[in-house]
Amino acid sequence: MSNVEFVGPPPKQRNTKHARIAGELRAHPGVWGVVRKPGTLTRAASAAQAIRDARLTAYEPAGSFEAVARTVVEGTVEEFRVYARYVGASK
């Protein structure tokens, strides 16, 4: 018995969490959204840079998304957040 399932070529756009996030941001251009809450500010900053630089195809072309990392303190809870928004293919 084979462990391989032959079903044809893969879809052009994978339905990844990043594709879903980018799609939601595109549906609300110019509106900031919290897209990630990593455990450290360094990870938040790295994720924001990856979005800005379109290191993942979901955020292409580079520059079509703005993203920033922020530390948010609510009461005694400190949280690191990545905010992003779609600004269009040309800024």
Side-chain angles (χ1 to χ4, degrees):
M1 178 175 205
S2 175
N3 291 324
V4 178
E5 180 182 358
F6 295 96
V7 294
K12 295 205 183 276
Q13 178 71 34
R14 294 186 318 170
N15 190 21
T16 65
K17 71 176 179 180
H18 293 288
R20 289 190 299 274
I21 291 168
E24 288 183 44
L25 293 171
R26 281 187 175 94
H28 299 90
V31 179
W32 288 100
V34 176
V35 298
R36 190 162 178 222
K37 296 179 182 180
T40 67
L41 185 57
T42 300
R43 287 184 179 167
S46 178
Q49 187 68 49
I51 291 170
R52 288 192 303 271
D53 293 345
R55 283 189 229 146
L56 298 166
T57 59
Y59 303 106
E60 288 181 338
S64 60
F65 290 85
E66 293 181 339
V68 296
R70 295 290 187 262
T71 302
V72 177
V73 179
E74 293 177 351
T76 60
V77 177
E78 183 178 68
E79 189 172 77
F80 309 105
R81 298 180 185 173
V82 179
Y83 291 83
R85 68 179 175 173
Y86 178 68
V87 294
S90 60
K91 290 169 74 172

